[in-house]
């Protein structure tokens, strides 16, 4: 956890935060508390760490990697499985803008990070948005996991939505998987697309067949 807080503080500083280090560390600890909330089964610190690792690995593909890292920390800062539509993403984007303002980041940085967070609602980016592409690709990295990790992911997602009856969950999950498969590219950045696209589509198609 201490290492994660240090990673947060370094990214926030790199993105333009100006408050003292103790304040940055406190914000990081607070965010980890959010990522550890009891309603989370997949959208946990483990997911956050995985997203950050992908961003670090491919940071040279993004013009502003620290902004992408900060957006990763904040993209599920608000997470309620009972929320409707893209409410979690919208609320997380609003939270991101407010938090960065309190940390002394320039207004333009706060707005950009909030924009990046909002992209994770539909994972659709423009072709000239490498920062957004890296965040979305990292967020969806689990879709290209091996069989065991993908199976664990689907189990965790079902647990997050334990309050939803089976029929309604199957219908909703089918809609999500279908939307992902209909994307022209699940992964936008060339190295990630080449490495992960076919595996992700196979995983999604296999899961979809079990639902329908």
């Amino acid at each position: 956890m201490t290492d994660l807080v240090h990673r947060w503080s370094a990214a926030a500083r790199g993105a333009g935060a100006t408050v003292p280090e103790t304040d940055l560390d406190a914000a990081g600890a607070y965010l980890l508390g959010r990522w550890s909330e009891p309603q989370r089964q997949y959208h946990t610190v483990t997911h956050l760490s995985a997203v950050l690792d992908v961003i670090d690995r491919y940071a040279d593909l993004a013009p502003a990697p620290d902004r992408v890292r900060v957006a990763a920390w904040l993209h599920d800062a608000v997470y309620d499985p009972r929320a409707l539509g893209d409410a979690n993403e919208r609320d997380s984007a609003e939270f991101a803008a407010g938090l960065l303002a309190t940390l002394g980041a320039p207004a333009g940085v706060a707005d950009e990070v909030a924009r990046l967070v909002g992209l994770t609602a539909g994972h659709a980016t423009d072709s000239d948005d490498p920062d957004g592409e890296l965040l979305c690709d990292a967020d969806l990295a689990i879709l290209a996991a091996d069989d065991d990790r993908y199976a664990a992911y689907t189990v965790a997602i079902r647990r997050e939505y334990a309050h939803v009856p089976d029929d309604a969950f199957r219908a909703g999950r089918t809609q999500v998987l279908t939307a992902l498969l209909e994307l022209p590219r699940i992964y936008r950045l060339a190295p990630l697309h080449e490495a992960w696209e076919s595996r992700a589509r196979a995983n999604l198609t296999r899961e979809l067949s079990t639902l329908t």
Side-chain angles (χ1 to χ4, degrees):
M1 289 295 188
T2 301
D3 177 64
L4 276 174
V5 170
H6 289 162
R7 291 172 75 178
W8 154 261
S9 297
R13 183 72 73 207
T18 58
V19 296
E21 202 71 19
T22 53
D23 292 343
L24 286 182
D25 289 349
Y30 172 72
L31 288 171
L32 285 178
R34 281 182 168 264
W35 282 92
S36 303
E37 292 164 340
Q39 78 274 16
R40 299 170 184 258
Q41 299 296 316
Y42 169 69
H43 294 86
T44 63
V45 172
T46 299
H47 170 58
L48 170 63
S49 297
V51 172
L52 291 171
D53 287 346
V54 173
I55 293 169
D56 285 350
R57 182 178 178 185
Y58 295 99
D60 61 332
L61 301 178
D66 279 328
R67 295 185 187 186
V68 181
R69 292 182 180 100
V70 170
W73 274 89
L74 296 167
H75 82 284
D76 284 323
V78 178
Y79 189 75
D80 179 1
R82 296 176 183 269
L84 300 178
D86 63 352
N88 284 324
E89 291 83 1
R90 288 187 286 103
D91 289 347
S92 292
E94 183 178 355
F95 173 81
L99 177 63
L100 289 171
T102 66
L103 297 178
V109 171
D111 290 344
E112 173 61 6
V113 170
R115 183 191 73 82
L116 291 171
V117 169
L119 291 176
T120 62
H123 299 95
T125 61
D126 294 332
S127 58
D128 59 347
D129 185 12
D131 286 340
E133 290 174 333
L134 179 55
L135 177 64
C136 289
D137 284 0
D139 191 32
L140 296 179
I142 187 63
L143 301 183
D146 60 37
D147 290 350
D148 289 344
R149 287 184 59 232
Y150 191 86
Y153 153 70
T154 61
V155 169
I157 289 293
R158 184 65 186 103
R159 286 175 178 167
E160 280 189 344
Y161 289 90
H163 60 282
V164 179
D166 286 342
D167 287 349
F169 178 81
R170 282 196 296 270
R173 185 67 179 166
T174 295
Q175 185 176 5
V176 169
L177 299 180
T178 300
L180 287 167
L181 285 167
E182 288 176 347
L183 290 171
R185 295 166 65 103
I186 295 173
Y187 303 108
R188 286 69 160 189
L189 294 172
L192 287 79
H193 177 79
E194 182 178 351
W196 296 346
E197 188 80 13
S198 61
R199 178 73 184 183
R201 289 189 177 276
N203 283 337
L204 292 168
T205 301
R206 185 174 62 254
E207 183 187 354
L208 187 59
S209 71
T210 69
L211 298 172
T212 58

